[in-house]
Amino acid sequence: TVFIPLLLLMIVPTIISLLPTFEMPARLSAWAGSILALVALNFTLSVRFPGPGDGTLIGQAVILGHIYQLVSVLLTVTLFEPGFRQRLGSPFVVSELSDYLRWAVPAVFIGVLLLRTLLTATT
């Protein structure tokens, strides 16, 4: 009831950010919608599962979602934007770094979310 909606909220803007065919306004619009949806999910979960707050697994998952969104929006505005990439150093290095971060950031988010879940479940 917690992780499926959270991952569904994150998958659409992540896919839009992974595809280079979308322009900057479309990417930022998807991330803005995802941020608002995560705030609504946080409110819904806090009403449904009242608890001590950020120490719970639900609170940690929502905080990880916000951190992922912040990092992804910053990457969308900087390294994933072709106009910004041209102002940096070597175009080959920046292109490789951008291609690497396109899949590494979502993979790290899912890995950290799974790790936090397993660590919380075993304690």
Side-chain angles (χ1 to χ4, degrees), residues 5 10 12 18 22 24 28 42 46 48 52 54 59-61 66 81 85 89 96 102 109-110 112 118-120:
M10 300 300 167
V12 173
L18 290 175
F22 287 98
M24 175 67 78
L28 289 180
N42 186 18
S46 67
R48 179 155 183 200
D54 295 335
Q60 292 174 4
H66 284 296
E81 178 62 24
R85 276 193 265 172
E96 286 296 318
R102 282 186 197 273
F109 168 68
I110 291 174
V112 169
L118 293 175
L119 288 176
T120 305

Side-chain angles (χ1 to χ4, degrees), residues 71-86:
V71 168
S72 296
V73 166
L74 290 175
L75 286 174
T76 299
V77 173
T78 57
L79 285 179
F80 296 166
E81 178 62 24
F84 185 83
R85 276 193 265 172
Q86 292 173 354

Side-chain angles (χ1 to χ4, degrees), residues 86-97:
Q86 292 173 354
R87 290 182 272 167
L88 294 176
S90 172
F92 302 110
V93 173
V94 175
S95 176
E96 286 296 318
L97 180 64

Side-chain angles (χ1 to χ4, degrees), residues 13-106:
T14 300
I15 289 174
I16 288 176
S17 291
L18 290 175
L19 298 174
T21 57
F22 287 98
E23 297 295 324
M24 175 67 78
R27 291 180 186 175
L28 289 180
S29 168
W31 281 116
S34 175
I35 290 169
L36 292 175
L38 186 60
V39 169
L41 178 67
N42 186 18
F43 175 74
T44 302
L45 292 175
S46 67
V47 169
R48 179 155 183 200
F49 302 110
D54 295 335
T56 64
L57 180 60
I58 295 170
Q60 292 174 4
V62 170
I63 288 173
L64 282 174
H66 284 296
I67 292 170
Y68 173 69
Q69 287 176 339
L70 175 68
V71 168
S72 296
V73 166
L74 290 175
L75 286 174
T76 299
V77 173
T78 57
L79 285 179
F80 296 166
E81 178 62 24
F84 185 83
R85 276 193 265 172
Q86 292 173 354
R87 290 182 272 167
L88 294 176
S90 172
F92 302 110
V93 173
V94 175
S95 176
E96 286 296 318
L97 180 64
S98 174
D99 291 342
Y100 175 75
L101 288 175
R102 282 186 197 273
W103 65 266
V105 171

